[in-house]
């Protein structure tokens, strides 16, 4: 009879990220009686909502063979622009929302232009935007949180649907479905895989690689804008320091979910599973009263293990 360690290894090998999530949930359920409750599951969903939305936008970029280090700062910029529009400029809700989302999309557009027209590597272009977007958020806000936030937006961060499902979870799932539809059923989605698989072959096949990259990074910025509005709703204020290091969690969720940093591989479902693994791990460690410092160590080890497992699985194939 196979040992528990052997069964766990087989599950990880066959199921990949999903097998790892099932195994992690089983371990946490044994270690903490409070883990397997509906309330706790909704807590996990609420906690990962912002990160997952960022990660879904990051999925477009990583599938196409790029990287976006700016999404955490763009999240803060979008939230601050929205907060300024409502709290300082006194604009109605809908124009303020459009300004916040537009700020995120504009930052992504600039990333795409720097990469395609400026011939900058994605790492450098988005690293520059990481600094610039954060600086703009601080300039616009004066370095202080902006409030009050309109009630409908605050309700998005703390309300629920039918008295049961938290609204952040509803928004998160809607963005996940949108991402899956774009990747599976649209021409830009197919172009992302083609560019990530072999950019030169994609160009020779007639794909406008430059235009598609601009669209990809604009989408990533737009998703960061949505995440920024949700984060603002949850905090009930627009904070220029929001989203600090969130880009690292977003990239980790995509990689843990099975995407390849070399491009051409990745799915919306994989990113969802990757974000759930991070959320379940943090939630379980909190329930077990593990220090936040040790949590970072454990999460780093999980990321390394996920990448090594994926590499070994690909070599066997």
């Amino acid at each position: 009879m196979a040992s528990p360690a052997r069964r766990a290894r087989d599950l990880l090998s066959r199921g990949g990220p999903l097998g790892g999530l099932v195994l992690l949930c089983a371990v946490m359920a044994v270690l903490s009686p409070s883990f397997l409750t509906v309330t706790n599951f909704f807590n996990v969903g609420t906690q990962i909502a912002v990160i997952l939305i960022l990660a879904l936008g990051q999925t477009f970029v990583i599938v196409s063979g790029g990287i976006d280090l700016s999404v955490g700062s763009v999240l803060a910029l979008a939230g601050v622009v929205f907060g300024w529009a409502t709290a300082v400029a006194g604009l109605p809700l809908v124009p303020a929302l459009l300004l916040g989302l537009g700020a995120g999309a504009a930052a992504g557009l600039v990333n795409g232009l720097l990469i395609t027209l400026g011939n900058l590597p994605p790492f450098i272009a988005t690293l520059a935007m990481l600094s610039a977007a954060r600086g703009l958020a601080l300039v616009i806000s004066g370095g202080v949180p902006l409030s009050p936030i309109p009630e409908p937006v605050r309700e998005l961060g703390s309300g629920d649907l039918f008295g049961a499902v938290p609204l952040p979870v509803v928004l998160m799932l809607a963005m996940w479905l949108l991402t899956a539809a774009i990747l599976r059923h649209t021409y830009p989605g197919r172009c992302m895989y083609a560019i990530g698989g072999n950019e030169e072959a994609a160009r020779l096949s007639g794909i406008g690689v430059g235009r598609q990259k601009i669209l990809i990074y604009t989408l990533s910025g737009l998703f960061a804008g949505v995440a920024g509005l949700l984060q603002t709703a949850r905090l009930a204020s627009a904070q220029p320091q929001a989203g600090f290091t969130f880009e690292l969690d977003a990239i980790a969720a995509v990689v843990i979910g099975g995407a390849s940093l070399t491009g051409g591989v990745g799915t919306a479902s994989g990113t969802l599973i990757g974000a759930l693994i991070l959320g379940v791990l943090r939630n379980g460690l909190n329930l077990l009263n593990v220090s936040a410092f040790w949590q970072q160590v454990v999460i780093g080890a999980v990321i390394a293990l996920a990448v090594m497992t994926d590499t070994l699985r690909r070599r066997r194939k």
Side-chain angles (χ1 to χ4, degrees):
M1 184 175 180
S3 67
R6 176 65 179 274
R7 289 198 299 271
R9 194 162 51 246
D10 290 343
L11 178 62
L12 284 170
S13 178
R14 290 194 304 270
L18 180 58
L21 177 61
V22 171
L23 179 62
L24 180 61
C25 288
V27 171
M28 291 302 177
V30 171
L31 295 177
S32 174
S34 304
F35 179 77
L36 283 181
T37 63
V38 174
T39 300
N40 191 54
F41 285 154
F42 281 144
N43 284 340
V44 172
T46 301
Q47 290 163 8
I48 70 168
V50 171
I51 294 298
L52 177 58
I53 294 172
L54 283 181
L56 290 170
Q58 190 77 241
T59 303
F60 299 134
V61 176
I62 289 179
V63 164
S64 66
I67 196 76
D68 189 349
L69 300 178
S70 68
V71 291
S73 295
V74 173
L75 174 154
L77 176 62
V80 164
V81 168
F82 168 75
W84 173 87
T86 57
V88 178
L91 294 181
L93 178 59
V94 173
L97 287 171
L98 292 177
L99 272 178
L101 294 175
L109 174 62
V110 172
N111 281 335
L113 292 173
L114 288 174
I115 292 165
T116 55
L117 300 183
N119 293 318
L120 292 180
F123 182 91
I124 299 300
T126 59
L127 182 63
M129 182 56 70
L130 177 152
S131 177
R134 183 71 65 182
L136 282 173
L138 290 166
V139 168
I140 294 170
S141 67
V144 298
L146 298 176
S147 60
I149 300 300
E151 176 62 29
V153 175
R154 283 187 281 123
E155 183 68 18
L156 175 64
S158 59
D160 48 55
L161 183 66
F162 306 126
V165 184
L167 289 179
V169 174
V170 175
L171 178 61
M172 171 187 80
L173 293 177
M175 298 300 291
W176 170 65
L177 289 172
L178 176 61
T179 302
I182 291 173
L183 289 174
R184 291 183 182 180
H185 303 299
T186 68
Y187 175 73
R190 292 190 291 272
C191 290
M192 293 174 197
Y193 288 104
I195 294 169
N198 189 319
E199 183 174 325
E200 186 58 28
R203 183 176 287 107
L204 293 174
S205 69
I207 293 174
V209 172
R211 291 194 302 273
Q212 293 300 322
K213 283 188 175 182
I214 291 172
L215 175 60
I216 289 164
Y217 282 92
T218 302
L219 276 174
S220 178
L222 179 61
F223 274 55
V226 175
L229 294 179
L230 179 57
Q231 182 75 345
T232 299
R234 292 195 62 197
L235 298 175
S237 65
Q239 304 203 16
Q241 295 292 359
F244 187 67
T245 73
F246 278 19
E247 58 275 355
L248 303 182
D249 281 352
I251 294 170
V254 180
V255 173
I256 291 172
S260 171
L261 286 173
T262 58
V265 178
T267 64
S269 296
T271 298
L272 172 62
I273 292 170
L276 283 171
I277 288 174
L278 288 176
V280 167
L281 191 59
R282 283 201 173 100
N283 176 262
L285 293 175
N286 283 331
L287 291 175
L288 297 173
N289 295 317
V290 175
S291 164
F293 304 135
W294 278 109
Q295 289 184 31
Q296 294 301 315
V297 175
V298 173
I299 290 170
V302 168
I303 294 170
L305 178 62
V307 175
M308 288 190 295
T309 300
D310 179 66
T311 301
L312 292 174
R313 185 169 63 249
R314 293 180 191 280
R315 286 179 180 174
R316 284 199 297 270
K317 288 181 179 180

